[in-house]
Amino acid sequence: MTCLIILIDGLGDDPIPAWNGQTPFSRAFHPNIDRLIKEGKLSQVSICEKDVVPESLTCILRLLGVPKEAFPTNRAYLELLAQNRDVSEYEMVLRCNVVSQDSSGRLVSFNGMGLSFREMETMAGQFSSLTPDIEFIHLSGYRNLLVMDRNESVLGIQTAPPHESMGLPVEELLAELKSSSLAMKLFMQETDGILQQYNRNDLTYKLYPWGASCRTEMPSFETLNGMKGALVCQTEIVRGIGKALKMEVPELSYCTADTDTNIREKLAVTRKMLARFPFVMTHFNGTDEAAHRHDYEGKADFISRIDKEFLEPLLDTAEEPLRIVICGDHVTSSVTGKHTRGRGPVIAAETKTGHPLERDIETYHDIVDFLMKESE
Protein backbone atom coordinates (compact mmCIF):
# COMPACT_ATOMS: atom_id res chain seq x y z
CA MET A 1 0.00 0.00 0.00
CA THR A 2 1.35 3.44 -0.96
CA CYS A 3 1.88 5.85 1.93
CA LEU A 4 1.42 9.63 1.89
CA ILE A 5 2.00 12.14 4.65
CA ILE A 6 0.58 15.60 3.98
CA LEU A 7 2.63 17.81 6.26
CA ILE A 8 0.89 21.14 6.88
CA ASP A 9 3.65 23.07 8.63
CA GLY A 10 2.60 24.50 12.00
CA LEU A 11 -0.91 23.10 11.60
CA GLY A 12 -1.73 23.23 15.31
CA ASP A 13 -2.41 26.57 16.96
CA ASP A 14 -3.56 28.30 20.11
CA PRO A 15 -7.24 29.20 20.58
CA ILE A 16 -7.98 32.51 18.87
CA PRO A 17 -9.78 34.97 21.22
CA ALA A 18 -11.54 36.71 18.31
CA TRP A 19 -13.02 33.34 17.31
CA ASN A 20 -14.23 32.43 20.79
CA GLY A 21 -11.47 29.88 21.24
CA GLN A 22 -11.57 28.24 17.82
CA THR A 23 -8.25 27.45 16.13
CA PRO A 24 -7.50 27.99 12.42
CA PHE A 25 -7.90 24.23 11.88
CA SER A 26 -11.32 24.07 13.55
CA ARG A 27 -12.37 27.29 11.79
CA ALA A 28 -11.30 26.13 8.31
CA PHE A 29 -13.72 24.45 5.92
CA HIS A 30 -12.28 20.97 5.27
CA PRO A 31 -14.94 18.44 4.24
CA ASN A 32 -12.36 16.11 2.69
CA ILE A 33 -10.31 15.98 5.86
CA ASP A 34 -13.58 15.30 7.69
CA ARG A 35 -14.21 12.47 5.25
CA LEU A 36 -10.88 10.90 6.20
CA ILE A 37 -11.61 11.36 9.90
CA LYS A 38 -14.79 9.30 9.45
CA GLU A 39 -12.78 6.52 7.78
CA GLY A 40 -9.85 6.79 10.19
CA LYS A 41 -8.81 8.60 13.35
CA LEU A 42 -8.33 12.16 14.58
CA SER A 43 -5.75 12.56 17.35
CA GLN A 44 -3.84 15.35 19.06
CA VAL A 45 -0.08 14.68 19.09
CA SER A 46 3.10 16.58 19.99
CA ILE A 47 5.80 15.56 17.50
CA CYS A 48 8.61 17.29 19.39
CA GLU A 49 7.34 16.08 22.79
CA LYS A 50 9.68 17.34 25.54
CA ASP A 51 13.04 16.27 24.17
CA VAL A 52 13.62 18.19 20.92
CA VAL A 53 13.24 21.80 19.83
CA PRO A 54 9.82 22.54 18.24
CA GLU A 55 11.05 23.37 14.75
CA SER A 56 10.74 21.91 11.26
CA LEU A 57 14.23 20.39 11.17
CA THR A 58 13.86 18.17 14.23
CA CYS A 59 10.18 17.36 13.84
CA ILE A 60 10.29 16.45 10.14
CA LEU A 61 13.35 14.27 10.67
CA ARG A 62 11.47 12.54 13.47
CA LEU A 63 8.47 11.91 11.19
CA LEU A 64 10.82 10.44 8.56
CA GLY A 65 12.12 7.89 11.02
CA VAL A 66 15.50 9.53 11.75
CA PRO A 67 16.76 8.78 15.28
CA LYS A 68 17.52 11.76 17.50
CA GLU A 69 21.24 10.94 17.71
CA ALA A 70 21.53 11.44 13.92
CA PHE A 71 20.00 14.95 13.95
CA PRO A 72 22.34 17.73 12.70
CA THR A 73 22.99 20.51 15.19
CA ASN A 74 21.99 23.32 12.83
CA ARG A 75 20.11 23.63 9.57
CA ALA A 76 22.30 25.90 7.42
CA TYR A 77 24.09 22.94 5.83
CA LEU A 78 20.80 21.35 4.80
CA GLU A 79 19.58 24.64 3.31
CA LEU A 80 22.80 24.70 1.27
CA LEU A 81 22.11 21.16 0.00
CA ALA A 82 18.71 22.41 -1.16
CA GLN A 83 20.61 24.71 -3.54
CA ASN A 84 22.41 21.68 -5.00
CA ARG A 85 25.58 22.84 -3.26
CA ASP A 86 27.85 21.16 -0.74
CA VAL A 87 30.87 22.10 1.35
CA SER A 88 34.05 20.25 2.19
CA GLU A 89 35.16 19.27 5.68
CA TYR A 90 37.30 22.43 5.68
CA GLU A 91 34.35 24.81 5.22
CA MET A 92 31.20 25.79 7.10
CA VAL A 93 27.93 27.53 6.35
CA LEU A 94 25.81 30.00 8.33
CA ARG A 95 22.27 31.24 7.96
CA CYS A 96 22.07 35.00 7.41
CA ASN A 97 18.98 37.17 7.83
CA VAL A 98 18.45 40.74 6.74
CA VAL A 99 17.14 42.34 9.95
CA SER A 100 15.94 45.81 10.87
CA GLN A 101 16.75 47.77 14.01
CA ASP A 102 15.38 50.95 15.54
CA SER A 103 17.28 54.18 16.29
CA SER A 104 18.52 52.64 19.54
CA GLY A 105 19.98 49.64 17.72
CA ARG A 106 17.38 47.20 19.03
CA LEU A 107 16.07 44.40 16.83
CA VAL A 108 12.58 45.14 15.53
CA SER A 109 12.26 42.53 12.77
CA PHE A 110 14.03 39.35 11.67
CA ASN A 111 12.80 39.63 8.07
CA GLY A 112 13.90 43.01 6.73
CA MET A 113 10.65 44.75 7.62
CA GLY A 114 10.19 47.81 5.41
CA LEU A 115 12.18 46.42 2.48
CA SER A 116 10.66 45.01 -0.68
CA PHE A 117 11.70 41.63 -2.11
CA ARG A 118 13.19 43.50 -5.08
CA GLU A 119 15.35 45.61 -2.76
CA MET A 120 16.56 42.52 -0.93
CA GLU A 121 17.46 40.86 -4.22
CA THR A 122 19.34 44.01 -5.30
CA MET A 123 21.35 44.18 -2.08
CA ALA A 124 22.13 40.46 -2.38
CA GLY A 125 23.79 41.20 -5.71
CA GLN A 126 25.94 43.84 -3.99
CA PHE A 127 27.09 41.32 -1.38
CA SER A 128 27.74 38.36 -3.69
CA SER A 129 31.29 39.39 -4.69
CA LEU A 130 32.23 41.53 -1.72
CA THR A 131 35.10 39.41 -0.41
CA PRO A 132 36.83 36.14 -1.40
CA ASP A 133 36.77 35.05 2.26
CA ILE A 134 32.96 34.76 2.52
CA GLU A 135 30.57 33.58 -0.18
CA PHE A 136 27.11 35.17 0.02
CA ILE A 137 24.24 33.02 -1.30
CA HIS A 138 20.78 34.58 -1.61
CA LEU A 139 17.86 32.21 -1.01
CA SER A 140 14.69 34.31 -1.02
CA GLY A 141 13.51 37.54 0.59
CA TYR A 142 15.44 38.15 3.79
CA ARG A 143 16.99 34.66 3.86
CA ASN A 144 20.59 34.03 2.82
CA LEU A 145 23.56 31.74 3.51
CA LEU A 146 27.24 32.47 4.09
CA VAL A 147 29.98 29.96 3.20
CA MET A 148 33.47 30.43 4.67
CA ASP A 149 36.50 28.52 5.90
CA ARG A 150 35.81 26.32 8.89
CA ASN A 151 36.36 28.07 12.22
CA GLU A 152 35.85 25.98 15.34
CA SER A 153 35.26 29.08 17.48
CA VAL A 154 32.43 30.23 15.22
CA LEU A 155 30.96 26.72 15.11
CA GLY A 156 30.82 26.73 18.91
CA ILE A 157 28.95 30.05 19.19
CA GLN A 158 25.24 29.90 19.94
CA THR A 159 24.17 33.21 18.35
CA ALA A 160 20.56 33.79 19.37
CA PRO A 161 18.06 33.21 16.53
CA PRO A 162 16.86 36.63 15.35
CA HIS A 163 13.17 35.65 15.44
CA GLU A 164 13.54 34.95 19.16
CA SER A 165 15.48 38.13 19.98
CA MET A 166 13.08 40.98 19.31
CA GLY A 167 13.85 44.13 21.29
CA LEU A 168 17.45 43.18 22.13
CA PRO A 169 20.53 45.19 21.04
CA VAL A 170 21.77 43.80 17.72
CA GLU A 171 25.42 44.66 18.36
CA GLU A 172 25.38 42.72 21.64
CA LEU A 173 23.73 39.73 19.95
CA LEU A 174 26.47 39.62 17.30
CA ALA A 175 29.44 40.64 19.46
CA GLU A 176 30.75 37.13 20.12
CA LEU A 177 30.54 36.18 16.46
CA LYS A 178 32.50 39.24 15.36
CA SER A 179 35.18 38.71 18.01
CA SER A 180 35.65 35.10 16.93
CA SER A 181 36.31 35.78 13.24
CA LEU A 182 38.20 38.70 11.72
CA ALA A 183 36.86 37.79 8.27
CA MET A 184 33.29 37.97 9.60
CA LYS A 185 33.95 41.26 11.39
CA LEU A 186 35.34 42.90 8.24
CA PHE A 187 32.54 41.46 6.09
CA MET A 188 29.87 42.88 8.37
CA GLN A 189 31.56 46.29 8.48
CA GLU A 190 31.45 46.45 4.68
CA THR A 191 27.84 45.29 4.47
CA ASP A 192 26.82 47.85 7.11
CA GLY A 193 28.16 50.57 4.84
CA ILE A 194 26.27 49.27 1.80
CA LEU A 195 23.02 48.96 3.74
CA GLN A 196 23.02 52.63 4.84
CA GLN A 197 21.39 53.61 1.54
CA TYR A 198 18.28 51.62 2.49
CA ASN A 199 17.66 53.33 5.87
CA ARG A 200 14.19 54.83 6.24
CA ASN A 201 11.48 55.64 8.78
CA ASP A 202 13.96 55.47 11.68
CA LEU A 203 14.88 51.90 10.66
CA THR A 204 18.38 50.74 9.77
CA TYR A 205 19.31 47.38 8.32
CA LYS A 206 22.00 44.80 9.06
CA LEU A 207 23.01 41.30 8.11
CA TYR A 208 22.55 38.86 10.99
CA PRO A 209 24.64 35.65 10.60
CA TRP A 210 23.70 32.78 12.91
CA GLY A 211 23.27 29.01 13.12
CA ALA A 212 26.73 27.96 11.91
CA SER A 213 26.98 24.34 10.77
CA CYS A 214 29.39 22.05 8.96
CA ARG A 215 29.11 19.07 6.63
CA THR A 216 26.88 16.41 8.16
CA GLU A 217 26.46 12.82 6.98
CA MET A 218 23.06 11.25 7.62
CA PRO A 219 21.67 7.76 7.00
CA SER A 220 19.48 7.43 3.92
CA PHE A 221 15.71 7.22 4.18
CA GLU A 222 15.83 3.80 2.52
CA THR A 223 18.40 2.50 5.03
CA LEU A 224 16.28 3.71 7.94
CA ASN A 225 12.89 2.55 6.69
CA GLY A 226 13.46 -0.18 4.13
CA MET A 227 11.76 1.69 1.30
CA LYS A 228 12.47 4.48 -1.15
CA GLY A 229 10.72 7.79 -0.73
CA ALA A 230 10.08 11.21 -2.27
CA LEU A 231 9.62 14.63 -0.71
CA VAL A 232 7.49 17.24 -2.54
CA CYS A 233 8.30 20.67 -1.14
CA GLN A 234 9.65 24.13 -1.90
CA THR A 235 10.95 25.27 1.51
CA GLU A 236 14.76 25.12 1.52
CA ILE A 237 15.17 23.30 4.83
CA VAL A 238 12.69 20.60 3.82
CA ARG A 239 14.31 20.14 0.41
CA GLY A 240 17.66 19.92 2.19
CA ILE A 241 16.33 17.23 4.51
CA GLY A 242 15.19 15.21 1.51
CA LYS A 243 18.54 15.53 -0.24
CA ALA A 244 20.48 14.66 2.94
CA LEU A 245 18.37 11.50 3.30
CA LYS A 246 18.90 10.69 -0.41
CA MET A 247 15.20 10.89 -1.18
CA GLU A 248 13.78 12.02 -4.51
CA VAL A 249 13.21 15.79 -4.31
CA PRO A 250 11.59 16.92 -7.59
CA GLU A 251 11.97 20.48 -8.84
CA LEU A 252 8.88 22.71 -8.62
CA SER A 253 8.40 25.59 -11.06
CA TYR A 254 5.49 27.56 -9.64
CA CYS A 255 5.38 26.77 -5.93
CA THR A 256 6.43 29.12 -3.16
CA ALA A 257 6.98 28.50 0.53
CA ASP A 258 3.99 30.64 1.52
CA THR A 259 0.21 30.86 1.18
CA ASP A 260 0.48 31.96 -2.46
CA THR A 261 1.95 28.61 -3.53
CA ASN A 262 0.65 26.79 -6.59
CA ILE A 263 -1.29 23.94 -5.02
CA ARG A 264 -2.22 22.43 -8.39
CA GLU A 265 1.44 21.94 -9.30
CA LYS A 266 2.09 20.33 -5.93
CA LEU A 267 -0.84 17.97 -6.57
CA ALA A 268 0.43 17.01 -10.03
CA VAL A 269 3.94 16.31 -8.77
CA THR A 270 2.62 14.36 -5.77
CA ARG A 271 0.63 12.11 -8.09
CA LYS A 272 3.76 11.43 -10.16
CA MET A 273 5.75 10.57 -7.04
CA LEU A 274 3.01 8.26 -5.72
CA ALA A 275 3.19 6.34 -8.98
CA ARG A 276 6.93 5.78 -8.51
CA PHE A 277 7.57 5.50 -4.77
CA PRO A 278 5.96 3.60 -1.88
CA PHE A 279 6.33 6.64 0.41
CA VAL A 280 5.74 10.33 -0.33
CA MET A 281 5.74 13.37 1.94
CA THR A 282 4.12 16.54 0.57
CA HIS A 283 4.91 19.66 2.56
CA PHE A 284 2.91 22.92 2.74
CA ASN A 285 4.65 25.82 4.49
CA GLY A 286 2.10 28.65 4.16
CA THR A 287 0.29 27.82 7.41
CA ASP A 288 3.50 28.33 9.38
CA GLU A 289 4.29 31.62 7.64
CA ALA A 290 0.77 32.95 8.22
CA ALA A 291 0.93 32.10 11.93
CA HIS A 292 4.30 33.85 12.28
CA ARG A 293 2.55 36.95 10.87
CA HIS A 294 -0.31 36.49 13.38
CA ASP A 295 -2.57 36.01 10.35
CA TYR A 296 -4.95 33.39 11.71
CA GLU A 297 -7.53 34.12 9.02
CA GLY A 298 -4.94 33.52 6.30
CA LYS A 299 -3.89 30.30 8.02
CA ALA A 300 -7.49 29.02 8.13
CA ASP A 301 -8.07 29.99 4.49
CA PHE A 302 -4.92 28.14 3.39
CA ILE A 303 -6.02 24.97 5.20
CA SER A 304 -9.33 25.23 3.36
CA ARG A 305 -7.50 25.61 0.04
CA ILE A 306 -5.35 22.55 0.68
CA ASP A 307 -8.49 20.56 1.43
CA LYS A 308 -10.29 21.73 -1.73
CA GLU A 309 -7.49 22.04 -4.29
CA PHE A 310 -5.18 19.21 -3.18
CA LEU A 311 -6.95 16.63 -1.06
CA GLU A 312 -10.31 16.50 -2.85
CA PRO A 313 -8.95 15.73 -6.36
CA LEU A 314 -6.34 13.39 -4.90
CA LEU A 315 -8.94 11.29 -3.09
CA ASP A 316 -11.49 11.43 -5.90
CA THR A 317 -9.11 10.14 -8.57
CA ALA A 318 -6.94 7.70 -6.60
CA GLU A 319 -7.39 4.19 -7.98
CA GLU A 320 -5.31 2.29 -5.45
CA PRO A 321 -5.61 2.15 -1.63
CA LEU A 322 -3.66 4.85 0.16
CA ARG A 323 -2.35 4.95 3.70
CA ILE A 324 -2.48 8.63 4.57
CA VAL A 325 -1.53 10.91 7.46
CA ILE A 326 -2.28 14.64 7.64
CA CYS A 327 -0.48 16.53 10.39
CA GLY A 328 1.82 19.40 11.27
CA ASP A 329 5.40 19.18 12.41
CA HIS A 330 4.98 21.47 15.42
CA VAL A 331 2.38 23.93 16.67
CA THR A 332 2.76 27.52 15.45
CA SER A 333 0.77 30.01 17.49
CA SER A 334 -1.00 32.77 15.58
CA VAL A 335 -1.34 34.55 18.94
CA THR A 336 2.38 34.75 19.77
CA GLY A 337 3.84 34.02 16.34
CA LYS A 338 6.10 31.34 17.84
CA HIS A 339 6.51 27.56 17.68
CA THR A 340 5.35 25.61 20.72
CA ARG A 341 5.45 22.07 22.07
CA GLY A 342 1.66 21.84 22.05
CA ARG A 343 -0.37 19.04 20.51
CA GLY A 344 -1.62 19.44 16.96
CA PRO A 345 -4.25 17.54 14.96
CA VAL A 346 -3.21 14.28 13.29
CA ILE A 347 -5.54 12.52 10.85
CA ALA A 348 -4.71 8.93 9.90
CA ALA A 349 -6.72 6.75 7.52
CA GLU A 350 -6.58 4.03 4.88
CA THR A 351 -8.63 4.68 1.76
CA LYS A 352 -10.52 2.13 -0.35
CA THR A 353 -10.17 -0.67 2.21
CA GLY A 354 -13.85 -0.84 3.18
CA HIS A 355 -13.12 -0.91 6.90
CA PRO A 356 -12.32 1.74 9.51
CA LEU A 357 -8.86 2.24 10.95
CA GLU A 358 -8.54 0.27 14.17
CA ARG A 359 -5.20 1.42 15.56
CA ASP A 360 -4.76 4.58 17.65
CA ILE A 361 -2.27 7.36 16.89
CA GLU A 362 -1.08 8.78 20.19
CA THR A 363 2.62 9.57 19.62
CA TYR A 364 4.97 10.30 16.73
CA HIS A 365 6.15 6.68 17.04
CA ASP A 366 2.63 5.59 16.08
CA ILE A 367 2.73 7.80 12.98
CA VAL A 368 6.08 6.35 11.87
CA ASP A 369 4.94 2.79 12.57
CA PHE A 370 1.67 3.32 10.71
CA LEU A 371 3.40 4.70 7.61
CA MET A 372 6.62 2.68 7.52
CA LYS A 373 6.48 -0.54 9.46
CA GLU A 374 2.90 -1.55 8.68
CA SER A 375 3.66 -1.06 4.99
CA GLU A 376 6.35 -3.72 4.94
Side-chain angles (χ1 to χ4, degrees):
M1 183 181 291
T2 306
C3 300
L4 171 67
I5 178 167
I6 302 172
L7 190 67
I8 304 177
D9 205 295
L11 178 61
D13 210 312
D14 288 332
I16 306 300
W19 287 345
N20 296 318
Q22 283 186 294
T23 65
F25 178 74
S26 60
R27 182 83 167 186
F29 182 65
H30 43 64
N32 299 288
I33 291 178
D34 294 339
R35 174 172 145 196
L36 287 175
I37 292 172
K38 290 180 180 178
E39 298 176 7
K41 294 287 180 66
L42 170 64
S43 308
Q44 296 288 326
V45 175
S46 172
I47 306 301
C48 61
E49 295 187 341
K50 296 181 180 180
D51 61 327
V52 301
V53 177
E55 64 169 13
S56 293
L57 173 61
T58 55
C59 295
I60 293 176
L61 287 174
R62 180 161 270 183
L63 287 169
L64 291 171
V66 181
K68 182 181 174 182
E69 56 269 22
F71 288 5
T73 55
N74 277 308
R75 58 194 277 176
Y77 174 66
L78 298 185
E79 292 184 333
L80 185 69
L81 287 183
Q83 307 304 308
N84 298 316
R85 284 285 310 278
D86 206 337
V87 292
S88 73
E89 60 183 298
Y90 305 107
E91 297 173 299
M92 64 182 185
V93 56
L94 299 89
R95 305 176 75 188
C96 184
N97 289 35
V98 177
V99 303
S100 51
Q101 58 185 11
D102 62 19
S103 57
S104 300
R106 296 184 179 276
L107 190 64
V108 295
S109 89
F110 64 88
N111 58 3
M113 180 179 68
L115 295 172
S116 68
F117 272 35
R118 182 181 294 275
E119 286 176 312
M120 286 188 272
E121 288 179 3
T122 299
M123 67 174 61
Q126 295 175 282
F127 300 147
S128 60
S129 58
L130 200 57
T131 170
D133 296 322
I134 297 178
E135 180 184 1
F136 183 93
I137 301 172
H138 180 58
L139 299 180
S140 61
Y142 64 91
R143 301 171 59 251
N144 311 279
L145 297 173
L146 304 177
V147 177
M148 59 186 293
D149 288 343
R150 183 166 177 150
N151 181 318
E152 296 302 327
S153 296
V154 173
L155 282 171
I157 294 171
Q158 297 296 320
T159 303
H163 57 276
E164 296 179 2
S165 307
M166 296 297 104
L168 298 179
V170 177
E171 283 301 321
E172 291 183 17
L173 291 166
L174 297 176
E176 186 179 6
L177 176 62
K178 289 183 178 181
S179 67
S180 298
S181 168
L182 178 60
M184 181 64 72
K185 180 179 179 180
L186 295 175
F187 175 75
M188 294 185 69
Q189 286 176 350
E190 291 193 59
T191 58
D192 284 349
I194 292 172
L195 286 168
Q196 286 183 6
Q197 63 187 294
Y198 296 97
N199 295 348
R200 68 192 65 167
N201 301 323
D202 294 323
L203 293 178
T204 57
Y205 297 94
K206 293 183 71 70
L207 293 186
Y208 191 109
W210 62 291
S213 63
C214 54
R215 200 170 196 275
T216 305
E217 294 291 341
M218 298 178 64
S220 71
F221 177 82
E222 184 176 9
T223 298
L224 290 167
N225 300 296
M227 67 174 82
K228 294 182 180 295
L231 216 169
V232 181
C233 57
Q234 189 67 0
T235 306
E236 282 91 356
I237 182 57
V238 188
R239 293 183 64 83
I241 287 171
K243 289 177 180 291
L245 297 179
K246 299 176 176 59
M247 302 174 73
E248 182 82 5
V249 186
E251 295 295 328
L252 300 172
S253 300
Y254 306 106
C255 289
T256 71
D258 213 319
T259 54
D260 61 348
T261 195
N262 189 313
I263 295 178
R264 293 181 185 276
E265 180 185 27
K266 196 157 282 190
L267 170 65
V269 175
T270 298
R271 282 173 166 158
K272 290 180 181 178
M273 295 300 103
L274 287 171
R276 294 177 52 200
F277 296 94
F279 175 91
V280 177
M281 173 183 282
T282 299
H283 175 264
F284 292 94
N285 196 59
T287 35
D288 185 62
E289 294 295 331
H292 284 311
R293 296 190 292 263
H294 307 277
D295 181 12
Y296 47 84
E297 291 185 352
K299 184 173 181 176
D301 288 345
F302 190 56
I303 295 169
S304 299
R305 283 188 58 212
I306 294 170
D307 186 271
K308 176 64 178 178
E309 298 176 31
F310 182 87
L311 190 57
E312 180 177 296
L314 181 72
L315 295 178
D316 286 350
T317 59
E319 297 180 356
E320 302 296 327
L322 186 67
R323 180 169 286 141
I324 186 167
V325 168
I326 301 172
C327 67
D329 44 359
H330 48 70
V331 169
T332 309
S333 171
S334 297
V335 177
T336 66
K338 296 182 178 181
H339 298 171
T340 80
R341 296 184 182 278
R343 295 175 176 269
V346 175
I347 298 93
E350 292 179 344
T351 66
K352 299 186 180 298
T353 62
H355 54 79
L357 185 67
E358 295 183 356
R359 67 162 299 148
D360 292 324
I361 305 291
E362 298 179 350
T363 71
Y364 76 88
H365 294 287
D366 296 327
I367 297 173
V368 174
D369 289 348
F370 175 64
L371 290 170
M372 317 291 190
K373 295 184 173 52
E374 292 188 13
S375 302
E376 295 175 356

